[in-house]
């Protein structure tokens, strides 16, 4: 991939990928950081990115994995603070967009379930692709999607019906 091709690629995918990853993380700054880091890594290997094989999927997977790693580090840090009988420092919360009902509903889901629901419904990946990216079995993806829909239905009301149509 040439420098100009990469610039066009970045211009096309950076913003939508950040928005989608924001739905996964629930934190705009974390999403921006993960996407930027993924694009930096892609830049460093741009000569190897095959434009015919959708380099955006490579960046998406990398950004998602970076976000998951940050969740794990944060959880381990909180466990370490708790082990010593101390309270972890308060994390800076992300922006709270008032009008985005789906985003607010996604925030109520546990991180792994939110990831699976977002990869399936927002990124429009197949169950097998979600399983590969999340590192779980296809059965686990189906279970998490079902539980996610059940949790989101009371929050989204009639809008949740469109979720059921997607995974039929």
């Amino acid at each position: 991939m040439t420098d100009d091709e990469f610039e066009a690629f970045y211009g096309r995918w950076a913003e939508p990928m950040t928005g989608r990853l924001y739905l996964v993380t629930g934190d705009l700054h974390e999403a921006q950081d993960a996407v930027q880091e993924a694009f930096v890594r892609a830049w460093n290997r741009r000569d190897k990115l095959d434009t015919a094989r959708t380099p955006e999927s490579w960046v998406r997977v990398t950004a998602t994995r970076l976000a998951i790693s940050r969740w794990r580090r944060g959880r381990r840090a909180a466990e370490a603070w708790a082990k010593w009988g101390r309270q972890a420092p308060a994390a800076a919360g992300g922006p709270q967009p008032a009008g985005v009902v789906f985003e607010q509903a996604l925030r109520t889901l546990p991180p792994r379930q939110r990831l699976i629901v977002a990869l399936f419904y927002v990124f429009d990946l197949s169950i097998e692709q979600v399983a590969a990216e999340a590192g779980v079995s296809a059965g686990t993806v189906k279970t998490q999607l079902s539980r996610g829909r059940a949790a989101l239905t009371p929050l989204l009301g009639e809008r949740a019906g469109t979720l059921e149509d997607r995974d039929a």
Side-chain angles (χ1 to χ4, degrees):
M1 180 180 288
T2 67
D3 292 358
D4 289 339
E5 289 172 331
F6 189 88
E7 187 176 324
F9 166 63
Y10 178 83
R12 164 69 178 98
W13 287 103
E15 187 175 330
M17 202 167 295
T18 300
R20 291 173 180 167
L21 196 59
Y22 170 54
L23 292 175
V24 172
T25 64
D27 184 326
L28 181 59
H29 299 292
E30 283 294 321
Q32 289 170 330
D33 288 348
V35 169
Q36 286 296 354
E37 176 65 24
F39 272 106
V40 166
R41 292 180 182 190
W43 171 263
N44 291 332
R45 59 179 292 141
R46 66 190 177 283
D47 56 328
K48 297 175 186 162
L49 289 177
D50 183 358
T51 56
R53 298 195 64 199
T54 62
E56 66 274 5
S57 65
W58 186 91
V59 173
R60 182 188 65 246
V61 169
T62 302
T64 302
R65 288 180 179 164
L66 287 166
I68 289 170
S69 293
R70 290 174 187 207
W71 284 337
R72 288 181 180 149
R73 275 194 307 269
R75 187 178 65 221
R76 284 192 302 264
E79 289 169 359
W81 280 98
K83 179 180 177 180
W84 295 101
R86 297 185 178 135
Q87 189 172 6
Q96 300 290 325
V100 184
V101 175
F102 186 63
E103 180 271 333
Q104 290 172 342
L106 277 177
R107 282 179 180 243
T108 66
L109 301 178
R112 176 174 283 197
Q113 193 173 69
R114 181 172 55 222
L115 171 67
I116 289 171
V117 167
L119 287 173
F120 188 75
Y121 292 112
V122 178
F123 285 92
D124 201 28
L125 300 182
S126 69
I127 288 176
E128 293 75 23
Q129 290 171 315
V130 172
E133 287 197 27
V136 297
S137 70
T140 299
V141 170
K142 291 176 184 179
T143 300
Q144 292 298 315
L145 288 173
S146 176
R147 290 178 182 167
R149 263 193 321 278
L152 293 174
T153 297
L155 301 172
L156 298 176
E158 295 176 11
R159 296 179 194 130
T162 59
L163 296 179
E164 292 177 10
D165 297 339
R166 165 68 170 88
D167 63 323

